[in-house]
Amino acid sequence: MAFASIVLPAGLVDGLGSRVPWIVVMSLPVLFDAALGSLGASRQLRSLFSGTLVVFAAVAAMIVALLLNAPTPPGVLAAVSFALATLAGWVTGRRWWNVAATLSWFDVGVLIFLGISVLHLVVLGLGVGSLSRFHVLAVLPWGGSNYVAGVMVVMAFVLWSRRSLVPGARWAALAAGAVSVLTLSRGAFIALGAGLLVLLWDAGRTMLTRFLVRVSAMVLVGVGVLGFSEVTQQRSVGGYDPGSNVDARLSLFHMAWEAFVSSPFTGTGWLSLREPSKEILGADISYAHNFFLSFLQIGGLLGLAFIAVFCHFALRCWRTCVTLRPALIAGFAISMSDPFVESAVAGFVMWTILAYGTGTTTEVSAAEVNAFGTRRSRARRAESVTRRGPRRLAR
């Protein structure tokens, strides 16, 4: 329900969905369910939600940063949305990992989310005369074109990792990736290229196959450079200067760093970049468009604590879950140039990935991976099929 709720139209209910993303609304029952489950306090439950207290402490640090910096109503809304979506993403990822060996309702939710988003973008693009115009119009209820494309790229890689279990996952992932490129989002294009590079680098069952695939991955880099140039050229149709976005981001980086230096212990708070960005860039911009600088600006050393926790789980996810590496690196890539982890939908997605990918402490290498995942996951799937039958929805 949480994944599927992302695509609900804004303003469906008065006061909900217009200013607050639907994923935040759905985070409440997700967290309430987890709280009820924790009353059992069984060993299995404690294992399922291991790491939750650390994530909660990291989120609490960002709420403290909010309280220490004269919070405004928009800042409170942004911080609370971030906190709820982050914690709900972590809980969702842990629960998903618990049934990862078989097709589950989590997979159905991702399919609904990506399928409706792709369909919505296709409908928006049918009457558009050019790709540059499509970039402007590719806005969904939960975000603008760059943001939407980035989230869809990351979720496409997540769904691709489930392709051996989820019918239609390959086609849905390919469609999401293709539509994301057509939005002409350069951040999403880089994220897609980074994810594909990692995907190919870890592919192959034999040493010879891995060598050939890795050589092709190097060729992909060259193709990506040409594709990036073409995307930039398409963005320039109509007299628009794509370089202005780069200059604006550099200005945001400088503003965020100056804000951190001015208040290194507590930062300058949520959405405090809006005032200086309006003065310098002529537009209210909420975040620094860079993961590290953004949280340093928001929370200072408190933000640094959040960065440390995020990077700790990201590193663990990279080591223990090879199949999610493309999604992880894609999300990290786009967070370097766009607000991603700070926001509700993308934050929910990224913490779901981290929780899912760190559900086990057993490290695996690329050599242990083939088209159907790791040896451990293949054994779990075989056991699951024996117990429950193939492709049965997990409860």
Side-chain angles (χ1 to χ4, degrees):
M1 290 176 65
F3 279 118
S5 70
I6 297 174
V7 298
L8 288 175
L12 189 63
V13 178
D14 290 340
L16 295 178
S18 55
R19 298 183 60 190
V20 179
W22 278 104
I23 188 63
V24 176
V25 178
M26 285 307 305
S27 294
L28 296 175
V30 169
L31 295 175
F32 181 70
D33 176 68
L36 287 180
S38 66
L39 297 178
S42 64
R43 180 178 300 179
Q44 181 181 5
L45 188 68
R46 288 195 296 270
S47 175
L48 177 63
F49 291 110
S50 63
T52 301
L53 288 179
V54 178
V55 177
F56 181 83
V59 171
M62 299 310 300
I63 297 299
V64 171
L66 168 75
L67 300 176
L68 293 176
N69 285 285
T72 61
V76 172
L77 183 61
V80 171
S81 297
F82 154 82
L84 291 176
T86 295
L87 294 174
W90 179 264
V91 171
T92 299
R94 281 295 195 220
R95 287 191 175 276
W96 195 359
W97 174 82
N98 197 45
V99 294
T102 186
L103 178 67
S104 69
W105 288 107
F106 295 99
D107 300 298
V108 176
V110 173
L111 278 172
I112 292 174
F113 164 55
L114 277 183
I116 294 180
S117 297
V118 168
L119 182 61
H120 196 164
L121 288 174
V122 169
V123 171
L124 288 175
L126 288 178
V128 176
S130 65
L131 289 178
S132 59
R133 181 63 178 164
F134 180 53
H135 172 76
V136 177
L137 296 178
V139 177
L140 299 185
W142 50 275
S145 57
N146 292 332
Y147 184 73
V148 166
V151 172
M152 289 179 64
V153 165
V154 174
M155 288 310 299
F157 282 119
V158 172
L159 193 56
W160 184 263
S161 72
R162 305 283 299 166
R163 65 193 182 280
S164 62
L165 292 171
V166 182
R170 287 179 173 85
W171 295 109
L174 290 172
V179 172
S180 298
V181 171
L182 293 177
T183 64
L184 300 183
S185 168
R186 289 175 292 181
F189 187 86
I190 292 174
L192 180 62
L196 287 175
L197 185 62
V198 172
L199 181 65
L200 293 175
W201 197 262
D202 288 337
R205 301 185 182 185
T206 65
M207 184 178 297
L208 177 60
T209 305
R210 286 196 295 273
F211 172 76
L212 294 175
V213 172
R214 289 180 180 184
V215 170
S216 66
M218 293 297 98
V219 176
L220 177 66
V221 175
V223 175
V225 172
L226 295 176
F228 186 83
S229 299
E230 180 62 25
V231 168
T232 303
Q233 184 177 352
Q234 289 292 331
R235 287 281 296 273
S236 64
V237 173
Y240 172 74
D241 179 17
S244 62
N245 277 349
V246 177
D247 295 336
R249 280 173 170 78
L250 292 176
S251 297
L252 286 171
F253 294 169
H254 179 73
M255 282 186 279
W257 179 252
E258 289 295 323
F260 169 65
V261 171
S262 68
S263 181
F265 295 104
T266 61
T268 57
W270 288 86
L271 307 187
S272 64
L273 276 187
R274 286 185 173 181
E275 187 172 338
S277 64
K278 185 175 183 179
E279 180 180 347
I280 296 174
L281 301 175
D284 294 334
I285 301 178
S286 301
Y287 302 109
H289 286 58
N290 178 277
F291 169 72
F292 295 104
L293 290 174
S294 186
F295 281 100
L296 288 175
Q297 171 266 311
I298 293 171
L301 293 181
L302 295 171
L304 183 61
F306 179 86
I307 292 172
V309 171
F310 182 91
C311 291
H312 165 72
F313 285 110
L315 184 59
R316 277 186 56 189
C317 180
W318 179 271
R319 289 176 173 175
T320 61
C321 191
V322 176
T323 56
L324 280 182
R325 284 180 180 177
L328 180 63
I329 200 66
F332 192 76
I334 197 169
S335 69
M336 294 298 101
S337 60
D338 285 273
F340 211 66
V341 181
E342 308 96 309
S343 59
V345 175
F348 175 85
V349 166
M350 290 302 295
W351 282 99
T352 296
I353 292 172
L354 295 185
Y356 180 104
T358 56
T360 175
T361 57
T362 304
E363 295 191 10
V364 295
S365 64
E368 295 180 286
V369 180
N370 64 12
F372 297 94
T374 63
R375 293 171 183 169
R376 180 185 178 96
S377 66
R378 292 198 303 274
R380 291 185 63 188
R381 276 195 295 273
E383 181 184 359
S384 174
V385 168
T386 302
R387 288 199 315 266
R388 310 179 186 181
R391 291 181 175 174
R392 180 179 177 182
L393 289 175
R395 295 185 181 274

